[in-house]
Amino acid sequence: MKKSSKFYAMIILIVALLVMIGYYLHNNQSKRIDMDLQGSLVRLDSHVLTVYNVRNFNDYETIDLHSIAKKFDSAIRYVAYNNEALYLLLEEKDHTWSILRITNNAMDLYALPIIENDVKRYQIVLDKDNILVIMNQKIYQSEREKFAFQLVSQEFSYKNQFIFSPSLYGYVYMDSSNVVRNLQNTVNLISLDSYSTYNGIINSSYLVLTRMPEKKRFGEIYDLNTGEYRKLTKGPLYNFGSVGDVVLLEIESDNGEPDFFAPNLLVNPSRYSNHITDYEPFFYDVKNDVIIKLPEGIYTRALDQSITYQSEEFNREALQQLKLLCESSHN
């Protein structure tokens, strides 16, 4: 009888433990965590541009750019957007490059001093004064209205998925020796170990890093003020832009298999609000250490798809005006 009582007690204990674990995981995956999302999300998918309102992802505008590509006989490689204009990075068949600026009443094509036929990385970065074009390991810069691009760096580290962001240091980049430099005067800001992969500036206080200590990959946040690291994920990170203290990241697992207690592959499962799987982007609030999954279907890691998180607020009226111009360009 005593054996039977102990056996049933053990069964009850195991069941209770499983119920507690299930409740813990469900509670951490389903609870809502408020995050101050601002700006907009820009996706380019096979010559179709979609701009999302990050406060409500059901609020978006889509612009078909196929007629633009046909009109200029070019492939559209990247789109930068603000509410006054679209900036399209075009690659022509002879591997020359140009920027097409589309405003409410005009299309202006500006040739770039670039001939590259094996480009694996390209990007346009806008601020109120400058335009930057990143092409493989080269960085070109022009004043916003002049479109007179100059080569300002050939040291850009290709292995690093780097997102430019104006900060206290101005524009910065990482060179091939893992030194973070100021773009204007090449002042060394910080040196990182040879096992690190630099993954972008969030703001003037933090860097996003993927580190490989002892051949293990970790995603970490580096505090510029204290010099300390904060471990974030168990796999490397990819940066798709940031607004304030919120950055859009993608996580990659080491082996494709999630941990039992961390199905989203994050170090601390208590700080996420939705399940995150391999190669899936999520918002991370650096200040509050909170993670929210990006809604399904917005980013699929397709070959011809790119996504950027930017500070420009979603403006449907401005987008619709640009849409009318783009989609009537075949006339």
Side-chain angles (χ1 to χ4, degrees):
M1 189 72 179
K2 288 184 177 178
K3 283 187 176 180
S4 179
S5 298
K6 287 183 178 179
F7 175 76
Y8 286 118
M10 182 65 70
I11 293 297
I12 292 171
L13 181 62
I14 291 173
V15 170
L17 182 60
L18 290 174
V19 169
M20 290 176 63
I21 291 173
Y23 174 79
Y24 172 79
L25 292 176
H26 178 269
N27 183 58
N28 279 287
Q29 290 182 27
S30 62
K31 68 181 180 179
R32 295 298 302 169
I33 301 176
D34 291 331
M35 184 180 289
D36 183 22
L37 292 175
Q38 301 176 3
S40 55
L41 205 63
V42 179
R43 186 185 76 181
L44 179 64
D45 188 359
S46 300
H47 292 170
V48 176
L49 174 69
T50 307
V51 181
Y52 293 90
N53 180 354
V54 295
R55 295 182 180 89
N56 177 11
F57 279 92
N58 292 320
D59 188 18
Y60 61 88
E61 192 65 55
T62 299
I63 302 176
D64 191 330
L65 299 174
H66 282 91
S67 60
I68 298 289
K70 184 177 181 179
K71 180 183 181 71
F72 291 92
D73 196 21
S74 301
I76 301 173
R77 298 303 187 190
Y78 195 90
V79 177
Y81 158 77
N82 61 33
N83 286 320
E84 287 76 43
L86 293 176
Y87 296 82
L88 310 185
L89 182 62
L90 306 182
E91 181 183 12
E92 299 177 25
K93 291 181 179 179
D94 61 354
H95 304 297
T96 58
W97 295 75
S98 57
I99 289 181
L100 178 66
R101 181 175 64 177
I102 304 173
T103 62
N104 290 335
N105 54 15
M107 291 187 184
D108 299 305
L109 187 67
Y110 300 93
L112 296 174
I114 302 171
I115 300 178
E116 297 279 349
N117 59 8
D118 186 25
V119 179
K120 295 182 174 63
R121 175 175 175 78
Y122 29 71
Q123 184 179 352
I124 299 174
V125 181
L126 302 173
D127 70 9
K128 62 183 180 65
D129 298 316
N130 299 289
I131 302 177
L132 280 76
V133 174
I134 294 90
M135 193 75 64
N136 281 345
Q137 294 173 271
K138 299 176 182 177
I139 305 170
Y140 300 84
Q141 184 176 14
S142 170
E143 291 183 31
R144 183 68 172 270
E145 299 301 324
K146 291 186 176 181
F147 286 89
F149 285 88
Q150 302 292 327
L151 181 65
V152 292
S153 175
Q154 300 185 67
E155 297 182 285
F156 180 68
S157 177
Y158 174 71
K159 74 172 186 175
N160 297 297
Q161 299 295 315
F162 182 77
I163 302 294
F164 281 88
S165 181
S167 66
L168 291 178
Y169 311 109
Y171 285 107
V172 300
Y173 68 99
M174 188 168 202
D175 67 16
S176 56
S177 60
N178 281 16
V179 175
V180 183
R181 301 178 183 272
N182 181 282
L183 189 62
Q184 280 70 33
N185 53 26
T186 63
V187 173
N188 293 11
L189 302 177
I190 183 175
S191 295
L192 302 171
D193 62 68
S194 59
Y195 296 104
S196 296
T197 299
Y198 186 66
N199 208 245
I201 282 192
I202 294 178
N203 55 29
S204 59
S205 301
Y206 301 98
L207 310 180
V208 182
L209 301 168
T210 294
R211 299 226 305 161
M212 301 173 63
E214 299 177 0
K215 299 183 179 180
K216 295 181 180 179
R217 298 189 292 180
F218 298 101
E220 298 181 309
I221 302 298
Y222 180 82
D223 191 320
L224 282 171
N225 298 315
T226 65
E228 297 177 347
Y229 290 94
R230 179 199 307 172
K231 189 179 292 185
L232 178 60
T233 70
K234 292 184 178 180
L237 298 168
Y238 300 92
N239 189 324
F240 296 114
S242 61
V243 179
D245 289 319
V246 178
V247 65
L248 181 63
L249 300 170
E250 180 189 64
I251 185 174
E252 175 188 335
S253 69
D254 281 324
N255 53 18
E257 295 295 329
D259 294 342
F260 180 71
F261 283 101
N264 63 345
L265 304 176
L266 300 175
V267 173
N268 180 3
S270 66
R271 65 168 173 250
Y272 65 85
S273 65
N274 292 34
H275 183 80
I276 296 174
T277 54
D278 300 354
Y279 301 106
E280 195 161 358
F282 58 93
F283 288 109
Y284 176 59
D285 186 327
V286 185
K287 183 177 181 180
N288 298 307
D289 195 26
V290 171
I291 288 166
I292 292 180
K293 173 187 171 183
L294 196 69
E296 292 185 8
I298 291 181
Y299 178 72
T300 59
R301 221 175 202 265
L303 180 64
D304 294 330
Q305 188 179 101
S306 65
I307 191 167
T308 307
Y309 181 37
Q310 62 173 38
S311 59
E312 191 78 13
E313 292 291 343
F314 181 83
N315 185 319
R316 179 175 297 280
E317 182 180 352
L319 283 166
Q320 288 179 339
Q321 290 178 354
L322 291 170
K323 178 176 182 175
L324 287 173
L325 182 63
C326 290
E327 296 185 353
S328 62
S329 64
H330 60 280
N331 295 329

